[in-house]
Amino acid sequence: MPFTSNNPQAPLSDMKKSMDDNPVKVPLDDIPIDSTYTLSMDLASSEVLDEIDPWALPELQSSGPSWKELNNKQRVKRVVTGVVKGCLLIGFLYLFICSLDVLSSAFQLVGSKLTGDIFSDNDILANPIAGLVIGVLVTVLVQSSSTSSSIIVSMVSSGILNVKASIPIIMGVNVGTSVTSTLVSLAQSADRNEFRRAFGGSAVHGMFNWLTVIILLPIELGTGYLFHVSNAIIKSFNIHNGANAPDILKVITRPFTDLIIMLDSKVIAGNAAGNPEYANSSLIKRWCVTNETTVTEHIPATNLTNCSAVTCFTNASGTFIENNVTIKQNVERCYHIFAQVNLSDIGVGFILLTASLLVLCTCLILIVKLLNSVLKGQIAHVIKKIINADFPFPFSWLTGYLAIIVGAVMTFVVQSSSVFTAAIVPLMGVGVISMKRAYPLFLGSNIGTTTTAVLAALASPAESLSESVQVAFIHLFFNLTGILLWYVIPYLRVPIHVAKKFGDITAKYRWFAVLYLLLSFLILPLAIFGLSMAGWIVLAAVGGPLLILFIAIIIINVLQKRLPKCLPSFLRNWDFLPIWLHSLAPWNRLLYKMCGCCCKKCSHDEEEKSKDLLPEVIPSPETHCYENPDFVQSQDL
């Protein structure tokens, strides 16, 4: 029966207030699929979700009552808690950096022989594509672009490698340095949004390096751009010998890492240079104090004509040649764990690899949790605001270049781009640093890591000093050219857009991060290496069509978003292809089926989480109670 005066109703204002204050939760499964109400709700929900930018930095949680609202006991408790958290954060960060150092040593123990064999093969190094892949793989093995570039500089200094052959290897070294930040981002895979930001931050570093290589390698092969520019600069300066690169960070970490493992740098450089003296030597340094003495040996003379060149003497036993020999005497053993362990380098390397990865992941998880706990309240808002702030107009464009300088200086101080980028990625995950600010910091890190090679080159012998410094400057100009290509013009900051796309995919399909890691730093480099070693004809026959197809797909994707009318009707989307060729959903289902019940449970949990992401309060359709005439008549207007 319609509303009448016999059924008194609340005033309109009160009813509207009660409707707003007591929203009704409607189960999604109870709504008919074909109802117009469901359609309107879906449209409203999609509009709400579309307005949310998943890359926007989250609002940091409040840390509770303000300082003025606390009593003395609560203030003391907050101060003590903050100091303890700060000390724990510094301690875990120290262990994290030390684990990176031990991880680098472990990779060197496992792959040193392989690295030496690859570098000593001149036929492989003569192939620029193979040289590029070697640079990637060696940097992945040793987990340090500074070490890889220093090895290349020492090879050029010793005459084993010429400058032109080193250029593709230097490019590969630049690509391989981004693998550490990608590994670090995996520790934040528990939370979708944190993983999106962290993996996107690591991917933007890798995309910059890969895109720069794709552009500059053909240009270098065709014109020799980097070689001629660096050669002209070397000739214009009067370069003198310098000193080795300062190990500022290792002064702090070495007392701890030396208790775990110590490597002999002479053996590492000797293996890379192909010196037969170090062919069967262990990289593990077992004697820290040695003494070299020169003694005279008497060798029986088999040919008296040699006595004209050396000192000989004759006694009752015959004629002997005097020969001075330097004998190395071991005085004091080292104190690290493996100094007296009779294990091979590979065995020790795998032990350290497992232990360092475990410590690294544990420290990283604890660091992220502590950052989430510490970065709350007004202090966190101030830090977040300062890091992501821009200069006032019209100087806002200078902010990014200042960030590049800061990244270069910080990387020079710690002497490791891996440590610096690995510290940036967790901060991006928790929402302190934005993608816009992290991108120039990563570019500055690429600049900072070249200083190690420059300082190492200055320590080269005088006869090969110019070639060594030229290689170091090639590394520097490669990164500077990349900045000119992908940063100076804002419209061409393509790595940011590609990284965000990868981050969105990874947030939905987390296994994509592992796939990206394997494809970018292992499978594709090995495949290209195999094709390049088979010959240029095979490489062009297989890689050429694939490259053309890849470029065509990129162009079509851009046109589908920008100018769809320019394409034929069937190319305006990818629906004409099988779904497994343009969607990861079938592969995701296949992966869950292959891994069994555990993944099915995870999949169910993900579905429940995705339901929770929907608005809890479903907005009502645009109909109001005052539109009913009988209801309006019943009110005292």
Side-chain angles (χ1 to χ4, degrees), residues 81 145-146 151 191 318 500 552:
T81 304
S145 61
S146 300
I151 289 175
D191 184 270
K500 285 186 175 182

mmCIF file of all heavy atoms in Angstrom, residues 81 145-146 151 191 318 500 552:
data_model
loop_
_atom_site.group_PDB
_atom_site.id
_atom_site.type_symbol
_atom_site.label_atom_id
_atom_site.label_comp_id
_atom_site.label_asym_id
_atom_site.label_seq_id
_atom_site.Cartn_x
_atom_site.Cartn_y
_atom_site.Cartn_z
ATOM 1 N N THR A 81 61.698 2.981 22.000
ATOM 2 C CA THR A 81 61.278 2.149 20.863
ATOM 3 C C THR A 81 61.879 2.657 19.566
ATOM 4 O O THR A 81 62.350 1.877 18.733
ATOM 5 C CB THR A 81 59.751 2.134 20.766
ATOM 6 O OG1 THR A 81 59.193 1.678 22.003
ATOM 7 C CG2 THR A 81 59.294 1.212 19.644
ATOM 8 N N SER A 145 79.249 -4.822 -11.109
ATOM 9 C CA SER A 145 79.709 -4.197 -12.353
ATOM 10 C C SER A 145 81.073 -3.557 -12.165
ATOM 11 O O SER A 145 81.860 -3.468 -13.114
ATOM 12 C CB SER A 145 78.686 -3.150 -12.812
ATOM 13 O OG SER A 145 78.547 -2.138 -11.832
ATOM 14 N N SER A 146 81.363 -3.083 -10.948
ATOM 15 C CA SER A 146 82.682 -2.492 -10.686
ATOM 16 C C SER A 146 83.789 -3.525 -10.875
ATOM 17 O O SER A 146 84.828 -3.244 -11.481
ATOM 18 C CB SER A 146 82.734 -1.927 -9.262
ATOM 19 O OG SER A 146 81.758 -0.935 -9.085
ATOM 20 N N ILE A 151 88.086 -5.687 -14.295
ATOM 21 C CA ILE A 151 88.739 -6.817 -14.978
ATOM 22 C C ILE A 151 88.992 -6.478 -16.445
ATOM 23 O O ILE A 151 90.068 -6.748 -16.993
ATOM 24 C CB ILE A 151 87.880 -8.085 -14.850
ATOM 25 C CG1 ILE A 151 87.915 -8.604 -13.405
ATOM 26 C CG2 ILE A 151 88.368 -9.164 -15.803
ATOM 27 C CD1 ILE A 151 86.993 -9.782 -13.167
ATOM 28 N N ASP A 191 53.035 -8.453 -0.714
ATOM 29 C CA ASP A 191 52.014 -7.420 -0.886
ATOM 30 C C ASP A 191 51.988 -6.982 -2.344
ATOM 31 O O ASP A 191 53.021 -6.650 -2.920
ATOM 32 C CB ASP A 191 52.317 -6.227 0.017
ATOM 33 C CG ASP A 191 51.236 -5.162 -0.049
ATOM 34 O OD1 ASP A 191 51.354 -4.264 -0.910
ATOM 35 O OD2 ASP A 191 50.278 -5.245 0.738
ATOM 36 N N GLY A 318 131.458 -31.449 -10.289
ATOM 37 C CA GLY A 318 131.141 -31.057 -11.647
ATOM 38 C C GLY A 318 130.987 -29.569 -11.777
ATOM 39 O O GLY A 318 131.369 -28.795 -10.893
ATOM 40 N N LYS A 500 56.442 0.470 -15.609
ATOM 41 C CA LYS A 500 55.114 0.472 -14.984
ATOM 42 C C LYS A 500 54.236 -0.641 -15.555
ATOM 43 O O LYS A 500 53.477 -1.279 -14.816
ATOM 44 C CB LYS A 500 54.442 1.830 -15.180
ATOM 45 C CG LYS A 500 55.005 2.928 -14.286
ATOM 46 C CD LYS A 500 54.208 4.212 -14.418
ATOM 47 C CE LYS A 500 54.702 5.262 -13.421
ATOM 48 N NZ LYS A 500 53.908 6.511 -13.500
ATOM 49 N N ALA A 552 57.349 -4.786 -34.895
ATOM 50 C CA ALA A 552 56.002 -4.632 -35.453
ATOM 51 C C ALA A 552 54.942 -4.699 -34.356
ATOM 52 O O ALA A 552 53.965 -3.928 -34.361
ATOM 53 C CB ALA A 552 55.747 -5.705 -36.507
#
